[in-house]
Amino acid sequence: MPFGRAHLLAAAALFVAFVIESWEQLALIYVSGDLGTAFGIDTGRIGWALSAVALGMIPGSLVWGPLSDRIGRRGVCVWSLTAYGVLALASAASPTFSMLMMTRFLSGMALAGIYTVTFPYFLELLPSRTRGRARSTSPSAGRSASCWPSASPGWSEGSAGTWSRS
């Protein structure tokens, strides 16, 4: 299959998923000092809050994979991103640390759906001779693009490793 529009659309969806996940992680890093103060937690528990999405993605991928066989890739993408959006908003409004951990873990489970579907779809579209190279470079491109705020002028690192706009 020659490289074309389908490849670009799948690559764009994968890129957006990486940027969303990476920005979500970076946003929490920027407010980590305030998070510790608001919930009265130490840096170890802040680390757990940062890791909760990634931990949720592990069981999430085991759920979304078989579900994509039943409802299709498009359905999984729609439900995954919708559930992620709702749960991410719920985590922003969490009144307790326990609720924050639960909503972040569940949002990771939800976000795993887009990864579970988009990676294989993207790779299946590519000619077999370029699949390995595409698989190894696509995560790097998404993560690199999401790091631009920390390298942008006007952002500075404050005490306790928190970031703020100056």
Side-chain angles (χ1 to χ4, degrees):
M1 176 177 191
F3 191 83
R5 179 178 163 89
H7 296 98
L8 293 175
L9 290 174
L14 190 56
F15 178 79
V16 167
F18 272 115
V19 170
I20 288 170
E21 185 223 347
S22 298
W23 271 50
E24 193 259 352
Q25 290 291 331
L26 285 172
L28 194 56
I29 290 169
Y30 293 141
V31 298
S32 61
D34 294 332
L35 183 69
T37 303
F39 290 116
I41 56 175
D42 61 4
T43 55
R45 293 183 104 194
I46 291 171
W48 277 106
L50 293 170
S51 303
V53 170
L55 292 172
M57 291 177 80
I58 296 166
S61 63
L62 298 173
V63 170
W64 289 108
L67 193 57
S68 71
D69 291 337
R70 289 193 187 137
I71 68 171
R73 291 176 176 162
R74 184 168 191 257
V76 164
C77 287
V78 169
W79 283 106
S80 171
L81 288 177
T82 301
Y84 172 75
V86 169
L87 289 162
L89 284 173
S91 73
S94 296
T96 65
F97 181 71
S98 298
M99 179 66 88
L100 176 69
M101 288 296 293
M102 183 182 71
T103 54
R104 287 189 48 76
F105 181 83
L106 292 173
S107 68
M109 285 185 70
L111 187 61
I114 195 72
Y115 287 108
T116 303
V117 170
T118 311
F119 268 126
Y121 180 63
F122 178 66
L123 293 175
E124 287 171 6
L125 289 174
L126 294 175
S128 56
R129 62 182 162 70
T130 61
R131 287 180 187 167
R133 190 171 39 246
R135 172 63 182 99
S136 63
T137 58
S138 58
S140 303
R143 298 224 189 271
S144 298
S146 67
C147 292
W148 73 266
S150 60
S152 298
W155 285 97
S156 60
E157 185 175 5
S159 62
T162 61
W163 288 84
S164 62
R165 186 94 169 130
S166 41

